[in-house]
Amino acid sequence: MKTILITGAAGDVGTHLRRELAGKYRIRASDLRPLKKVAQEGFMRADISKFADAMKITKGVDAIVHLGGYSVEGPWEGILSANIIGCYNVFEAARRNGVKRILFPTSNHAVGFYPRSQTIDHRVYIKPDSRYGVSKVFGEALGSLYADKYGMQVFCMRIGNVGPVPIDKRRLSIWFSPRDLAQLVAIGIEHPGIRFEIVYGISGNKRAWYDNSNAFRLGYKPQDDSEVHAKEILAREKPGGDPVAEAHQGGLFCVAEEVPNPAPLPRARKRASRKK
Ligand code: 15L
């Protein structure tokens, strides 16, 4: 059984992924935050903005799913430390530790300034919609460098929005169900032909803004489509909203300086309301 390091394992996507991959891989979970119920997983607390920590957690694994970092638009200092310095540290530590394969969950926000009227594929020019989006582009570029220069195998998934159900109209186009996430991640870990790839991390949504043919070429067969939730979601959607946000794929990220986590898991919601 392969040993997979998941950074950012305590986050929303990490929590879904650990549950979905349990039993398929030996998981080494890592996060800056403590992680309690880790069952059979090993947990290593680490701050990836410190190179020594990145070296420690990447040692002896077969592949890395690098989810760790700032996951929304926010202050530059946080993004710089977690998504630029932290991302560099993970790639460089992986290289020094001889780990060949890295899955980098980039984001729809690397290309969020494309209009909703346009269908884009994995070859379009980048159009980040936020500092956060720029940090994801940095990770994609770093992945390309490490693939070309050091022969690493890098699988970049431009993730939409992961959750049990889509949460609003925009997410009908970019929803990514946990089981489709797990399927795409397994392709990223197992596919023998990966050198450097960009795919979109979304389910088989009828309303997708992406031509995800590169993922399909690698064997991805999504099982879910947001369309089954469309009627209910559209019925509760309020008209109006910022015209720039509404016109572009990245939505609020195109206009806001800070964006809250759109659908935190119940435990994170509880924590946030305790703080108020
Ligand atoms: C992302 O990249 C974020 O990590 C996630 O929290 C959501 O905001 C998502 O994009 C989205 O666009 O809905």
Side-chain angles (χ1 to χ4, degrees), residues 12-13 70-72 106-109 132 136 159-162 167 170-171 174 249-250 253 259-263:
D12 301 346
V13 179
Y70 216 91
S71 69
V72 281
T106 164
S107 169
N108 68 92
H109 298 290
Y132 166 69
K136 290 300 183 178
I159 292 193
N161 189 238
V162 179
I167 53 174
R170 188 175 82 84
R171 272 70 176 220
I174 64 166
Q249 299 179 359
F253 284 66
V259 177
N261 184 343

Side-chain angles (χ1 to χ4, degrees), residues 1 13 84 97 137 164 177 191 195 197 200 236 239 248 274:
M1 194 186 262
V13 179
I84 305 285
N97 276 324
V137 170
S177 73
H191 198 290
R195 187 181 164 87
E197 299 292 346
Y200 288 92
R236 63 165 193 251
H248 294 92
R274 269 203 305 270

